[in-house]
Amino acid sequence: MRYLLILFLCLTTAHSYSQVSIETQDSTANKTPTKVKGTLVSSTTNLPLSEANIVNINQVVGTATNDEGVFEIRAKVNDTLHLSYIGYKSIKVRVTNDWLKFGDTEIQMTELALALEEVTVKQLELTGYLVVDMKQVPETSNNRYRISGLPGQGYEAGKPNIATKVLGAIFNPADFLYNMFGRKPNEMHKLKKMKEDDEIRNQLAKRFDREMLLVLLQVTKYDLDEIVNQCNYSKDFINTANDLQILDAISECFEEYKVINRSKDRNKKKD
């Protein structure tokens, strides 16, 4: 009987200890910060960099530094932050336990030495005769246009023809568009999150370098341009659109792709 009592006391103690341990772990987990804070400064001047762009690649959220170079963004351990600023080399920083635990961290960014290439500007020699001068104005091949954020479909004046290209890609396994969308479904699904984040949209609207899009979608510059081209957008649009317009163009094309791909799968099942 004495042995049974001892065994019972041991089991009760062990159970109580495990419960306390679990509660402690849960309490610690609940206290783990869900945001990281940092300060961006120039490695040359050690001055803060305001309005620098910060994007959490994993969470697909963005923010910008304030006048003191300080930023705060939602993140968890092992998330990767992409930091960029005009005239400075972009960097990627991994979120660590120590960063989450101890708070503000100073991050230095290195200035780029930029050399402008020689540019030739061709002036229009106007004669004063409207009929003659109008012939000198270069024509563009844009056939669609839409200002991002406003209702309406298409980007270049005229009737959109994205579905035609996407349809051809679906039924031609060798087509670039089919291979790209099929090979990177997870990255392409980030498009919706990118469009929903106001800060990312604001950042993309001011950019023309495609850098943030390349980082978030994990594609090359060639692949990005080719996706838009295969979606039936003109070269003029590709060359002049800001990054937000490119994002919306790819998103629209990808939505068409998914619809047609689902229809194709249903037809296969019926057969």
Side-chain angles (χ1 to χ4, degrees):
M1 184 67 180
R2 185 176 60 183
Y3 292 114
L4 290 175
L5 180 60
I6 293 174
L7 179 61
F8 175 76
L9 290 173
C10 289
L11 291 174
T12 303
T13 303
H15 177 71
S16 299
Y17 177 79
S18 63
Q19 284 293 108
V20 171
S21 178
I22 291 172
E23 289 174 2
T24 302
Q25 289 176 4
D26 289 342
S27 177
T28 303
N30 291 333
K31 291 180 181 179
T32 301
T34 56
K35 290 185 176 181
V36 291
K37 187 177 181 181
T39 304
L40 295 189
V41 298
S42 169
S43 61
T44 306
T45 64
N46 209 37
L47 294 175
L49 300 176
S50 62
E51 296 301 318
N53 298 328
I54 299 92
V55 173
N56 185 327
I57 299 174
N58 303 86
Q59 306 285 337
V60 196
V61 292
T63 189
T65 55
N66 61 19
D67 292 339
E68 286 74 41
V70 177
F71 71 89
E72 190 175 54
I73 192 169
R74 188 173 80 239
K76 60 183 181 180
V77 176
N78 292 328
D79 279 357
T80 299
L81 305 185
H82 180 263
L83 317 177
S84 60
Y85 188 72
I86 296 175
Y88 285 75
K89 184 179 180 181
S90 299
I91 57 176
K92 291 181 181 178
V93 181
R94 188 170 64 86
V95 177
T96 62
N97 272 312
D98 287 342
W99 190 357
L100 286 169
K101 187 185 299 182
F102 298 113
D104 196 2
T105 297
E106 183 177 290
I107 303 170
Q108 293 187 341
M109 297 190 71
T110 305
E111 195 170 358
L112 285 173
L114 299 177
L116 293 177
E117 297 180 359
E118 183 180 349
V119 178
T120 302
V121 178
K122 183 179 179 181
Q123 280 188 318
L124 294 177
E125 297 178 0
L126 301 180
T127 65
Y129 293 96
L130 183 60
V131 176
V132 177
D133 293 341
M134 285 295 291
K135 292 180 180 179
Q136 296 190 59
V137 179
E139 295 181 3
T140 63
S141 59
N142 290 21
N143 53 29
R144 280 189 286 163
Y145 181 78
R146 175 169 70 91
I147 298 176
S148 181
L150 296 181
Q153 194 175 18
Y155 260 103
E156 303 162 21
K159 187 177 180 180
N161 193 25
I162 289 180
T164 304
K165 279 277 182 148
V166 177
L167 187 61
I170 292 290
F171 290 99
N172 179 9
D175 190 274
F176 175 88
L177 188 60
Y178 176 87
N179 290 333
M180 178 55 66
F181 283 165
R183 192 171 70 244
K184 293 184 176 290
N186 293 332
E187 283 76 8
M188 291 304 160
H189 284 303
K190 288 182 180 178
L191 289 167
K192 186 176 181 181
K193 288 186 177 180
M194 291 164 66
K195 287 169 66 70
E196 291 173 348
D197 189 281
D198 290 337
E199 185 59 41
I200 289 181
R201 290 183 64 86
N202 291 337
Q203 292 180 22
L204 291 177
K206 296 180 287 188
R207 301 183 66 136
F208 292 81
D209 58 6
R210 315 299 189 236
E211 180 186 353
M212 195 180 296
L213 288 174
L214 299 179
V215 170
L216 287 167
L217 297 178
Q218 297 295 297
V219 296
T220 65
K221 177 67 164 59
Y222 169 82
D223 288 342
L224 188 69
D225 288 345
E226 194 62 18
I227 288 172
V228 184
N229 180 57
Q230 292 288 330
C231 289
N232 202 36
Y233 288 94
S234 69
K235 288 184 179 180
D236 293 311
F237 169 75
I238 297 172
N239 293 332
T240 60
N242 62 38
D243 289 4
L244 179 57
Q245 290 172 321
I246 293 293
L247 167 65
D248 287 342
I250 296 174
S251 179
E252 184 180 352
C253 187
F254 183 59
E255 291 304 317
E256 291 280 356
Y257 165 85
K258 290 194 297 183
V259 170
I260 296 173
N261 199 32
R262 284 196 293 266
S263 298
K264 177 190 169 188
D265 291 339
R266 283 196 294 268
N267 292 334
K268 275 187 177 181
K269 290 178 181 179
K270 288 180 181 179
D271 295 340

